[in-house]
Amino acid sequence: MEADFRQTTTDKTERYQLFLPQFELFIGGEKEEVSVLANAAAALREAFGFFWVGFYLVKGEQLILGPFQGSAACYRIRKGKGVCGTAWAEARTLVVPDVDLFPGHIACSSLSRSEIVVPLLANGEVKGVLDIDSDQLNHFDETDRCYLEKVAALIVQTLYTA
Ligand code: SME
């Protein structure tokens, strides 16, 4: 199994285009949630060098911290709270160019400056969120949204569909 996600190109679109088929092959067929999410966080970190990348999973009325790469983070986020809880409540991707300007942003690291949160949507139900933080302002754009939604869809297809 090819598990080397390092990349040489600096073009973001090209990076995602190279990443997706490799990632699909890599996670395809495995159904163990923790294992797939742990490898997804590792692969994304290796390919893109994200400051923090990981998952929060829906459990009752809260999100709980799942597999991630980066500094230790908060355990629980209530529905509608922070960027993650809002993306869950609204079942849509949120791109936050400056976390200080997002009302109610939850700062797990004071170094985090911008953020993108993509829900894991299975048949309209949010199973969890993919959360990525940057230590740079304005790090994420429509290219990230477009391709990270494809990454989330691959994860959903692998884990949450029959
Ligand atoms: N900033 C997130 C909390 C999770 S950490 O970024 C890892 C939020 O506002 O929901």
Side-chain angles (χ1 to χ4, degrees):
M1 182 197 293
E2 178 58 71
D4 184 354
F5 286 92
R6 284 172 297 176
Q7 296 210 1
T8 48
T9 176
T10 52
D11 180 79
K12 193 191 315 200
T13 303
E14 210 179 316
R15 276 187 176 214
Y16 278 116
Q17 285 173 348
L18 289 167
F19 178 81
L20 275 172
Q22 201 186 353
F23 180 68
E24 184 172 14
L25 274 179
F26 184 60
I27 64 165
E30 180 54 64
K31 290 279 180 196
E32 194 61 43
E33 188 177 50
V34 168
S35 310
V36 168
L37 298 181
N39 265 340
L44 285 164
R45 168 79 161 235
E46 187 168 59
F48 299 96
F50 293 131
F51 176 72
W52 195 96
V53 49
F55 297 90
Y56 279 89
L57 296 170
V58 170
K59 195 169 185 183
E61 284 304 297
Q62 294 185 325
L63 290 168
I64 55 158
L65 182 62
F68 68 94
Q69 296 260 318
S71 321
C74 50
Y75 283 112
R76 292 168 189 272
I77 297 172
R78 276 182 289 141
K79 194 171 189 176
K81 299 294 175 188
V83 186
C84 292
T86 305
W88 172 23
E90 297 181 2
R92 67 184 180 97
T93 299
L94 292 180
V95 177
V96 180
D98 180 347
V99 295
D100 289 338
L101 300 181
F102 187 94
H105 168 257
I106 299 162
C108 292
S109 164
S110 59
L111 296 176
S112 179
R113 309 296 302 282
S114 59
E115 182 165 0
I116 184 168
V117 179
V118 182
L120 302 178
L121 267 169
N123 297 322
E125 185 190 348
V126 179
K127 297 290 199 178
V129 299
L130 165 61
D131 178 19
I132 306 180
D133 288 14
S134 171
D135 58 358
Q136 308 292 318
L137 286 172
N138 292 307
H139 187 102
F140 305 102
D141 57 18
E142 284 306 307
T143 301
D144 296 288
R145 179 206 296 270
C146 167
Y147 285 102
L148 291 170
E149 285 180 352
K150 293 183 197 295
V151 169
L154 286 175
I155 292 169
V156 167
Q157 186 187 313
T158 299
L159 288 180
Y160 307 120
T161 57

